Amino acid sequence: MTAETITELTAVTTDEDFLAVTGQYRRELLAHCYRMLGSVHEAEDLVQETYLRAWRSYHGFEGRSSLRTWLYRIATNVCLTALDSRKRRPMPTGLGAPSAHPDDPLVELGEVLWLEPVPDAMVGGDPHDPATIVAGRASVRLALIAALQQLPPRQRAVLVLREVLRLRAAEVAEMLDTSVAAVNSSLQRARAQLEEAGLTEEDVVEPDDPRQRELLDRYARAIEAKDVAAIVEVFTADVVWEMPPFSAWFRGPDAIARLIATHCPAEAGELRLLPTEANGQPAYAVYRLTDEGWTPFQLHVLALTDGRVSHVAAFFDLSLFATFGLPARLDDDVALGVAVA
């Protein structure tokens, strides 16, 4: 913390002054709260709470840590307090059940608070700094967020603060009012659990990679045409498909092909896919043709491995369309333009 920043803080007298000094951190604080809670909507609320607490206590800030670290300390404790009264947000694969048979009835678990995807536009890195963009994509991958939700809250906090934010163990210990030894022990246990998820940096793909673009175009064409054979061709051999709020999940191209053929209510030509980005991954807003026109149906978040689709998370929560800034309806001419030729 520089003397200049301390002077700026002591000169804060209005909301505008405070936001001028601290507002630059809002985006990364939102990403931090999202990693902790697994919900973009709850993360937005907790960032607001973080800024409210910071505004109320800024006069007691003594500059012993950086302003950024001070804000992260507040945000982390706000998240831990919130997690005291909340259950973890899983994906269907995290419920402990084996993969399902595609002919089984689909069971909706409406009482479960499911993991939510987050728009890249809300949590991505500095658009002028490519390094932070790559790091931002890696730190909000859907599989990583799902794995974090399996950790106890304080282990989750330690892992994020140490591995994502790269804070020193002593800083984390001070933030969490614990010892360095306790921090190191929590980090070791958290790392061991995340290793079981098999996450690697190679899972992070570049959005403008021509090979990726061609694969995504094939995926979009196949889904829109409900071409089961073409859908199978874009999948890895161990591809996983899950779709909260339904509890079942499915593994393998053949099982997923049968799932789509038997359970998807749309016929060929009745779906349109609008590209977007979520969790540092390629994603599609899926619209279905109904009597009311082209209406929101699902949000697909894709993981790619070795030039194939290795995971599809199909979210049925239609409130996500507004969160992602997606249209509530597609006009016929727009829908036809979205279809991949």
Side-chain angles (χ1 to χ4, degrees):
M1 170 59 61
T2 65
E4 180 181 359
T5 302
I6 295 175
T7 300
E8 286 178 340
L9 275 177
T10 55
V12 168
T13 58
T14 67
D15 291 352
E16 290 77 13
D17 294 334
F18 178 75
L19 291 176
V21 176
T22 63
Q24 61 184 308
Y25 302 108
R26 179 176 289 272
R27 189 184 182 98
E28 59 180 284
L29 288 171
L30 178 63
H32 179 60
C33 293
Y34 172 71
R35 294 183 196 103
M36 290 292 293
L37 273 295
S39 164
V40 61
H41 298 111
E42 290 184 355
E44 289 181 299
D45 291 341
L46 295 182
V47 169
Q48 289 297 105
E49 177 65 19
T50 295
Y51 272 85
L52 179 60
R53 292 192 187 187
W55 162 245
R56 288 172 175 169
S57 60
Y58 81 89
H59 52 79
F61 179 69
E62 299 175 352
R64 290 181 295 179
S65 63
S66 70
L67 174 61
R68 179 174 180 262
T69 300
W70 178 67
L71 288 171
Y72 269 105
R73 175 173 186 162
I74 296 172
T76 300
N77 284 286
V78 165
C79 289
L80 289 174
T81 298
L83 287 167
D84 283 341
S85 59
R86 290 170 172 83
K87 295 181 179 180
R88 65 182 180 89
R89 285 181 172 267
M91 289 290 284
T93 47
L95 296 179
S99 58
H101 192 281
D103 290 336
D104 292 342
L106 295 177
V107 178
E108 183 175 346
L109 297 184
E111 70 276 12
V112 174
L113 291 177
W114 298 99
L115 184 69
E116 296 174 352
V118 65
D120 279 11
M122 295 179 68
V123 296
D126 182 346
H128 303 294
D129 184 353
T132 66
I133 294 175
V134 174
R137 286 204 299 269
S139 68
V140 293
R141 283 173 295 165
L142 201 61
L144 174 61
I145 303 302
L148 287 174
Q149 305 311 302
Q150 302 292 329
L151 299 174
R154 289 181 71 83
Q155 277 189 32
R156 196 182 310 173
V158 167
L159 186 81
V160 171
L161 294 170
R162 291 283 284 120
E163 299 286 80
V164 176
L165 300 178
R166 304 295 182 183
L167 297 179
R168 293 180 292 108
E171 291 179 294
V172 175
E174 182 178 357
M175 293 171 72
L176 299 179
D177 294 321
T178 189
S179 66
V180 171
V183 167
N184 290 334
S185 177
S186 291
L187 180 60
Q188 185 176 9
R189 292 195 298 272
R191 280 173 172 168
Q193 185 156 337
L194 252 67
E195 284 177 3
E196 296 179 4
L199 303 177
T200 68
E201 289 302 317
E202 286 71 30
D203 296 331
V204 183
V205 294
E206 293 298 327
D208 297 328
D209 185 328
R211 292 169 298 179
Q212 174 184 313
R213 189 72 264 157
E214 189 272 338
L215 173 65
L216 294 174
D217 287 349
R218 288 170 58 199
Y219 177 84
R221 285 197 300 268
I223 294 293
E224 291 178 345
K226 204 175 181 179
D227 185 339
V228 174
I231 293 172
V232 167
E233 289 180 359
V234 303
F235 287 150
T236 62
D238 59 351
V239 60
V240 168
W241 182 290
E242 50 189 333
M243 44 187 189
F246 297 100
S247 59
W249 61 279
F250 306 86
R251 184 187 295 279
D254 292 339
I256 296 170
R258 182 159 181 80
L259 171 76
I260 294 172
T262 59
H263 287 289
C264 179
E267 299 298 330
E270 293 182 353
L271 296 178
R272 289 293 179 264
L273 274 63
L274 184 66
T276 185
E277 293 179 344
N279 295 81
Q281 301 169 220
Y284 283 102
V286 183
Y287 291 82
R288 181 187 175 195
L289 182 61
T290 68
D291 292 340
E292 299 177 357
W294 295 94
T295 59
F297 181 51
Q298 299 171 351
L299 182 70
H300 288 192
V301 181
L302 279 58
L304 310 182
T305 303
D306 298 329
R308 291 287 186 271
V309 175
S310 56
H311 187 276
V312 178
F315 294 91
F316 279 77
D317 181 359
L318 300 186
S319 71
L320 292 169
F321 277 67
T323 302
F324 276 72
L326 295 162
R329 293 285 188 278
L330 288 184
D331 294 335
D332 285 340
D333 53 346
V334 174
L336 292 174
V338 170
V340 182

